Amino acid sequence: IIDFSKSVNKIENMEIINMNGQIVYNKQINSLQTKVKIDLSNNTKGVHFIKIIMANEIIVGKLIFE
């Protein structure tokens, strides 16, 4: 579960990308949503990246699935 309730900027979209550059999860975020539950149980283990797209910035972080 990802909690957006403390975000100052409006989050528009969220992607999870595997090491091959494939988007394995893509979700448009409703402006009323403050939390998003993601089921990634079908994804392979390893390093993935999360990309959060906001109105005026993009944040990229690393996720490790074990």
Side-chain angles (χ1 to χ4, degrees):
I1 295 177
I2 298 177
D3 185 352
F4 299 122
S5 62
K6 293 187 170 98
S7 177
V8 175
N9 296 319
K10 179 185 171 225
I11 296 171
E12 298 174 351
N13 195 43
M14 182 175 55
E15 297 176 348
I16 296 182
I17 304 158
N18 67 16
M19 288 297 291
N20 295 324
Q22 298 169 313
I23 298 172
V24 296
Y25 181 86
N26 186 12
K27 172 94 173 162
Q28 290 217 338
I29 308 298
N30 180 323
S31 61
L32 300 175
Q33 285 179 282
T34 58
K35 294 183 182 180
V36 175
K37 185 175 182 178
I38 304 170
D39 180 9
L40 299 171
S41 60
N42 293 332
N43 287 302
T44 58
K45 295 178 182 180
V47 177
H48 290 68
F49 296 94
I50 184 167
K51 181 177 177 182
I52 298 173
I53 301 167
M54 297 183 214
N56 58 354
E57 69 180 307
I58 297 174
I59 298 173
V60 177
K62 185 170 32 172
L63 302 172
I64 300 174
F65 299 154
E66 296 181 342

